[in-house]
Amino acid sequence: MTEIRITTLAERPELADRLGDMDDPWPEFATHDSLAWLLYPRMEAELADYVLVATDGDAVVARGYSVPFALHVDGRDGRLPAQGWDRVLMWAFSDLRRGVRPDTVSAIEITVARDRQGEGLSGRMLAAMRDNARARGFAEMVAPVRPSGKPAEPDTSIEEYAYRTREDGLPYDPWLRVHVRAGGVIDSVAPLSMTITGSLAQWRAWTGLPFDAAGPVRVPGALAPVRCEPEQGYAVYVEPNVWVRHRLAERGVSARP
């Protein structure tokens, strides 16, 4: 094994077309989020300093996306939104368009190749994302965390799951545990963090499930049941996440965008 190298996409723009090459663990339905289709190419093109890539030789083995945004401004007032992932992406690109100076960085995604999981790469990517935000003058990074163990308990409320701990006081969830060990603090839950809609035919194609009865459908990889409305011809998934705050330094006067 060669040495893992973690860089920003701005440093290695030739990797932009290879970020999706690795075999990742995301369920098929998760790749059909409307905001992701719209904004991931823009993150790579316009915010490449906040996109991290881990390589092992010539192979891309992990990727991480983050965005700068203004949290401590009128109307937001430092409060992390219930709409989580969706809302912070919209804030980031609205701020970018309007020239609003960012004061916080939000993690958007950290993904490790399926065949490289269990090697501690997720923790290394999180540390690199924190370091990158700190190096750019930010005092805080936040993350709408997708708890890795939650798909095993789709009917458990996110409130109950987010604050569940082990005997040692650390979070029960493995991915939340990585964040807390890195210095993060659970702030709140984001019950409306991501919304994915589709026709019944689309959900059948994405999951292989019939989607023919009204009510909740338990889908592998989903953190909560998908709501099926056969008489209306659609189904909706609303994903809950957990907001974690990472204090990086004492808050300065401003940060570099």
Side-chain angles (χ1 to χ4, degrees), residues 8 47-52 64-68 105 132 136 138 256-257:
T8 66
L47 296 172
D49 283 324
Y50 298 89
V51 179
L52 300 177
Y65 291 84
S66 60
V67 293
V105 168
N132 188 57
R136 297 183 189 286
F138 291 92
R256 297 193 305 274

Side-chain angles (χ1 to χ4, degrees), residues 24-99:
D24 65 51
W26 289 98
E28 175 64 23
F29 71 85
T31 67
H32 295 277
D33 173 76
S34 299
L35 277 180
W37 277 97
L38 176 66
L39 297 179
Y40 266 63
R42 291 191 60 189
M43 281 190 278
E44 294 166 11
E46 301 173 50
L47 296 172
D49 283 324
Y50 298 89
V51 179
L52 300 177
V53 189
T55 53
D56 186 353
D58 293 330
V60 175
V61 295
R63 63 178 181 256
Y65 291 84
S66 60
V67 293
F69 73 106
L71 180 61
H72 300 272
V73 293
D74 289 345
R76 301 175 189 173
D77 304 314
R79 294 190 300 270
L80 295 170
Q83 294 83 3
W85 195 88
D86 282 352
R87 183 57 54 87
V88 79
L89 271 173
M90 289 188 285
W91 279 353
F93 281 97
S94 173
D95 292 345
L96 186 64
R97 179 181 62 82
R98 294 182 295 121

Side-chain angles (χ1 to χ4, degrees), residues 7-23:
T7 61
T8 66
L9 187 60
E11 294 171 296
R12 301 189 68 189
E14 73 277 8
L15 296 176
D17 293 336
R18 297 180 51 202
L19 291 175
D21 288 351
M22 66 183 191
D23 180 20

Side-chain angles (χ1 to χ4, degrees), residues 151-242:
E153 301 184 35
D155 296 314
T156 301
S157 76
I158 191 63
E159 283 277 0
E160 191 280 328
Y161 187 87
Y163 293 100
R164 189 190 302 170
T165 59
R166 307 187 308 180
E167 289 184 0
D168 61 5
L170 288 170
Y172 170 83
D173 183 80
W175 189 212
L176 283 173
R177 202 156 57 240
V178 171
H179 277 265
V180 170
R181 279 177 168 154
V185 175
I186 294 175
D187 177 88
S188 55
V189 300
L192 310 167
S193 195
M194 176 188 292
T195 300
I196 298 175
T197 62
S199 68
L200 299 184
Q202 287 176 313
W203 278 101
R204 289 166 186 151
W206 298 340
T207 65
L209 299 174
F211 275 89
D212 56 2
V217 179
R218 289 157 188 82
V219 172
L223 275 59
V226 178
R227 182 73 188 183
C228 180
E229 298 285 352
E231 291 189 2
Q232 305 300 325
Y234 68 85
V236 178
Y237 172 60
V238 180
E239 177 167 293
N241 287 167
V242 181

